[in-house]
Amino acid sequence: MKSRNFVQELRYAREHRYAVGAFNIFNYLSARAVIHAATTMSCSVILQTSAATVKHFGPQELGTMLRQLAWNAPVNVLVHLDHCTDPDLARACIDCGWDGVMYDGSQLPLEDNIANCRQIVAYAHHRGVMVEGEIGKISGVEDDIQVDAADAAGAGLEESLYFLEQSGVDALAPAIGTAHGVYTGAPKINFDLVRELAQRTDVPIVIHGGTGLAPEVFRALISLGASKINVSTAIKQAYVEGCTHYLERHDGKFNPLDFDQEMNCSIKDVAMAHMRIFHSGEGAAQ
């Protein structure tokens, strides 16, 4: 079921003071579990795919699978490519039915990032696909993208606005102090940048590094204008932990369907826990 496109969904979320959860899935089971969570919560959701996942399955095979799941869902399910540094892979996903793609040129000089984004935007918009861009460098590891904490660079307001104006991206992921992976301490979040960007532009603001952030941090970011929050590591952890618990309890007696159901419940529970937080302020703007 498609009721709103990628940008419409994020703008609607911002208007109504909630955030759409974007969950990095890695196979059919994880995608289906996230959709089950969204269906139970009666909320829209974004199935997010890493570049590594796309390369593993192939854009055509993965795109066909995800489109079928999205079309059959009773809630709005959008398919989005996360942290893609390869313009050719981004174009392949656009051609194979993704609703949105993120081109990550954050490790390039600013003007090169802008130029590459502009090319992807032109290609995507011609096909009705939206584009997310990143400004600054978000620390941590995301597939083959690794940014050490010492090399992370926070985004500035004027630089972010310039990037938006010149690149034409539909959604912005500014580096605000969050990190990919598991936090080893409380991150120092630049809440002011989120508020200032929301005041200066209607372009949806995306928060990366959602795993491990405290509920009050999520709620503060959403109240300031963030409308898409990415969760990746928590979904992977739920899968591995569910697998481990199943094998420990069944002592070698293995039923594939029961195993899949265990994984489904484990991922669904984690996704729902995040969705409850992301939607806890919903309706405040109505």
Side-chain angles (χ1 to χ4, degrees):
M1 183 186 86
K2 282 283 188 294
S3 56
R4 290 182 285 266
N5 68 26
F6 183 79
V7 170
Q8 290 169 342
E9 192 65 69
L10 298 188
R11 286 180 173 168
Y12 184 87
R14 176 167 154 177
E15 178 186 351
H16 293 87
R17 301 289 178 87
Y18 68 89
V20 181
F23 299 91
N24 280 51
I25 56 86
F26 40 84
N27 56 17
Y28 178 86
L29 189 152
S30 58
R32 191 163 175 260
V34 168
I35 291 176
H36 282 170
T39 300
T40 301
M41 295 290 295
S42 297
C43 65
S44 300
V45 71
I46 296 171
L47 297 182
Q48 205 155 253
T49 63
S50 71
T53 300
V54 175
K55 292 174 184 176
H56 177 77
F57 289 100
Q60 186 65 58
E61 181 179 351
L62 185 60
T64 299
M65 179 186 79
L66 295 178
R67 285 201 312 274
Q68 182 181 38
L69 284 169
W71 288 340
N72 290 330
V75 295
N76 194 20
V77 177
L78 298 158
V79 179
H80 186 63
L81 175 65
D82 193 26
H83 283 291
C84 182
T85 60
D86 180 357
D88 288 336
L89 184 63
R91 293 186 187 97
C93 289
I94 291 167
D95 291 338
C96 290
W98 269 248
D99 297 291
V101 299
M102 178 195 183
Y103 172 71
D104 184 354
S106 61
Q107 300 198 49
L108 300 173
L110 177 59
E111 295 300 335
D112 292 342
N113 186 5
I114 288 171
N116 287 356
C117 280
R118 203 157 46 215
Q119 291 178 6
I120 297 297
V121 166
Y123 190 87
H125 284 185
H126 184 66
R127 293 157 179 81
V129 177
M130 307 296 114
V131 180
E132 176 185 336
E134 180 175 326
I135 186 73
K137 294 181 181 179
I138 299 171
S139 68
V141 178
E142 185 77 15
D143 285 343
D144 57 350
I145 303 173
Q146 181 170 342
V147 178
D148 294 333
D151 296 326
L157 176 61
E158 296 306 322
E159 179 187 43
S160 298
L161 293 172
Y162 175 76
F163 175 79
L164 282 175
E165 179 185 2
Q166 296 297 315
S167 67
V169 296
D170 304 288
L172 177 67
I176 61 166
T178 56
H180 298 122
V182 179
Y183 291 102
T184 56
K188 186 176 180 180
I189 308 295
N190 187 349
F191 294 101
D192 289 340
L193 178 60
V194 177
R195 182 185 66 252
E196 290 165 346
L197 283 170
Q199 291 173 345
R200 297 280 294 273
T201 178
D202 63 353
V203 173
I205 300 168
V206 180
I207 306 301
H208 285 244
T211 295
L213 290 180
E216 59 268 23
V217 173
F218 284 130
R219 294 187 183 104
L221 290 168
I222 293 167
S223 72
L224 293 172
S227 58
K228 173 177 179 273
I229 299 179
N230 292 5
V231 179
S232 176
T233 301
I235 298 301
K236 298 170 187 173
Q237 289 173 333
Y239 183 86
V240 172
E241 289 170 4
C243 175
T244 301
H245 293 160
Y246 178 90
L247 295 176
E248 287 174 347
R249 289 201 317 273
H250 290 80
D251 193 25
K253 296 179 181 179
F254 185 81
N255 182 306
L257 293 179
D258 287 346
F259 177 83
D260 281 358
Q261 182 59 26
E262 182 91 11
M263 298 307 100
N264 178 80
C265 291
S266 182
I267 294 171
K268 178 183 175 183
D269 288 347
V270 167
M272 284 180 61
H274 284 85
M275 291 173 187
R276 288 190 186 98
I277 298 170
F278 299 166
H279 286 260
S280 59
E282 187 172 354
Q286 294 184 28

